[in-house]
Amino acid sequence: MASQSLYRKWRSQTFDELIGQEHVVQTLRNAIIEERVAHAYLFTGPRGVGKTSMARLLAKAVNCTDPDPAARPCGRCFACTSIAEGRAVDVIEMDAASHTSVDDAREIIERVQFRPAEMRAKVYVIDEVHMLSTAAFNALLKTLEEPPDHAIFILATTEAHKIPATILSRCQRFTFTRHSVAATSSHLREIASAEGLELDAGAPEAIARAATGSMRDALGVLEQLASFGQGAITLEQVHSLLGMTAAAEVNALIEALLDVDVGAALRAVNGVADQGADIRQFTRDLVERLRSLMLFRATGDRGMLDVGEDELLTIEGWASRADTAALVEWIKLFSGLDFQLRTTPYGHL
Ligand SMILES: [Zn+2]
């Protein structure tokens, strides 16, 4: 899939490059330094948040030959480079979702008993581990009961509830969280500038919001936009690609509500209809924005908001004019609309 190539290209090669998941990085780093690496890890969390990137980093770190454990993975030694290029025979990556042949997966897991050929540790990375066949799962369980000294299993899944307790109890578990809009958009900016792509103001934030915390999705969108051709990537291009409502209309409606300006409110809603944008998506964006505003109004804490720098200023400006009780009313009103809009052909009315 072409849309994954930016993600592959910019996959982090060291712990420092990894975006987010600081709690996981910290714990794994300590384990490497103190040489207390477990035999089995379970990485859970939504797709595209860096589970397999982290698994590769860990595979590198346990095999890296840099004399300073704190500097592992160095990204330069034989182990680091061969793992990065996917040609390390001792690092076995399996996608359980596509490994349908029962015997195949079981055999691969049973081969863990053989010592590593080139490196210190033999590392198994099994993605979507909940999809393994029963036979393969049993082989895995048996191995985890008495793992050979040289073996490390890194299991990843988006559906932690499908992992049996017998496996869970033998793994050190880490929960991966979605990337914030701020982290995603700043990463998008870095990559765009390294790739010589120009992004208009607001475009990275719009992509980040649409990707709902998945860096892989965000980079996929960026790649599609880049293929459109010349010039800067505009907010309009982002919106038309993603079928999103213009953030400008959401902001205009909130302005109108704050000013109790009925005419301006109607113009904002009409603007959405004129663009042929999805009125339900507009309502959701509106509720999300009002929620941010209410949070900021109640706490005054910038850290509570998952928004880009430009929006932060807008929200700060609104907060001084907003009334908390009215905000709560509006959120109730507009979040109730989402259901009603599903059943009526007169949405914008
Ligand atoms: Zn290294």
Side-chain angles (χ1 to χ4, degrees):
M1 195 166 39
S3 65
Q4 284 201 9
S5 58
L6 267 186
Y7 186 67
R8 290 229 176 93
K9 181 172 174 190
W10 291 95
R11 181 169 264 187
S12 17
Q13 302 299 338
T14 65
F15 280 128
D16 288 329
E17 286 172 22
L18 202 93
I19 311 293
Q21 321 303 350
E22 288 84 0
H23 59 299
V24 186
V25 168
Q26 192 57 49
T27 314
L28 291 180
R29 261 196 160 143
N30 288 344
I32 298 287
I33 292 169
E34 293 161 21
E35 298 190 326
R36 283 185 299 98
V37 178
H39 279 295
Y41 290 92
L42 177 66
F43 293 171
T44 67
R47 52 184 292 281
V49 296
K51 298 191 294 298
T52 49
S53 296
M54 188 78 81
R56 281 197 180 183
L57 284 177
L58 180 56
K60 282 189 210 168
V62 295
N63 282 307
C64 179
T65 51
D66 194 294
D68 175 13
R72 297 176 193 164
C74 69
R76 289 180 304 271
C77 69
F78 168 76
C80 287
T81 52
S82 59
I83 293 169
E85 288 160 16
R87 54 179 174 80
V89 291
D90 295 318
V91 175
I92 300 101
E93 287 191 46
M94 295 166 61
D95 181 353
S98 60
H99 250 89
T100 42
S101 161
V102 173
D103 292 333
D104 198 20
R106 197 196 64 208
E107 259 176 51
I108 295 171
I109 291 168
E110 283 173 348
R111 250 179 269 149
V112 71
Q113 301 300 338
F114 298 107
R115 298 200 53 80
E118 309 171 319
M119 298 180 187
R120 283 198 297 273
K122 204 163 178 176
V123 184
Y124 279 69
V125 179
I126 309 181
D127 200 11
E128 296 302 358
V129 65
H130 64 277
M131 305 274 282
L132 277 182
S133 67
T134 312
F137 227 112
N138 288 338
L140 177 63
L141 184 57
K142 215 169 125 231
T143 311
L144 292 184
E145 279 167 359
E146 266 179 90
D149 266 347
H150 60 257
I152 295 169
F153 281 86
I154 308 170
L155 316 175
T157 182
T158 49
E159 300 188 54
H161 60 280
K162 290 191 179 159
I163 307 296
T166 45
I167 298 271
L168 285 179
S169 66
R170 290 180 170 81
C171 295
Q172 196 172 333
R173 180 173 172 179
F174 290 104
T175 305
F176 285 58
T177 49
R178 291 178 193 282
H179 297 293
S180 68
V181 170
T184 310
S185 52
S186 90
H187 190 53
L188 282 171
R189 273 198 200 89
E190 276 169 32
I191 288 179
S193 102
E195 291 281 327
L197 298 168
E198 219 179 305
L199 282 166
D200 272 2
E205 284 79 9
I207 299 171
R209 265 194 303 278
T212 62
S214 164
M215 200 64 85
R216 180 159 52 209
D217 289 352
L219 290 175
V221 171
L222 180 63
E223 182 142 0
Q224 270 179 279
L225 288 163
S227 68
F228 285 175
Q230 321 285 297
I233 294 168
T234 65
L235 193 54
E236 283 67 37
Q237 283 175 325
V238 177
H239 287 154
S240 73
L241 176 70
L242 300 171
M244 294 190 314
T245 60
E249 263 71 28
V250 171
N251 287 358
L253 184 53
I254 294 177
E255 287 283 349
L257 288 168
L258 290 171
D259 292 342
V260 202
D261 183 341
V262 177
L266 288 175
R267 275 195 300 280
V269 177
N270 260 333
V272 180
D274 286 349
Q275 293 173 34
D278 181 355
I279 193 83
R280 279 179 65 199
Q281 186 58 46
F282 173 76
T283 321
R284 278 182 217 138
D285 291 350
L286 178 65
V287 171
E288 187 51 40
R289 189 61 54 90
L290 286 170
R291 197 184 69 92
S292 299
L293 174 55
M294 185 184 66
L295 271 178
F296 184 76
R297 163 113 187 123
T299 64
D301 180 3
R302 284 169 147 239
M304 296 277 289
L305 301 183
D306 183 17
V307 299
E309 189 64 29
D310 53 333
E311 293 169 76
L312 204 53
L313 291 173
T314 311
I315 289 175
E316 276 180 339
W318 287 337
S320 56
R321 294 151 59 198
D323 171 70
T324 307
L327 282 175
V328 173
E329 274 310 306
W330 295 340
I331 290 171
K332 264 195 219 158
L333 174 70
F334 289 112
S335 52
L337 274 184
D338 189 33
F339 174 74
Q340 288 177 39
L341 286 171
R342 242 176 292 170
T343 52
T344 171
Y346 304 109
H348 60 278
L349 198 59

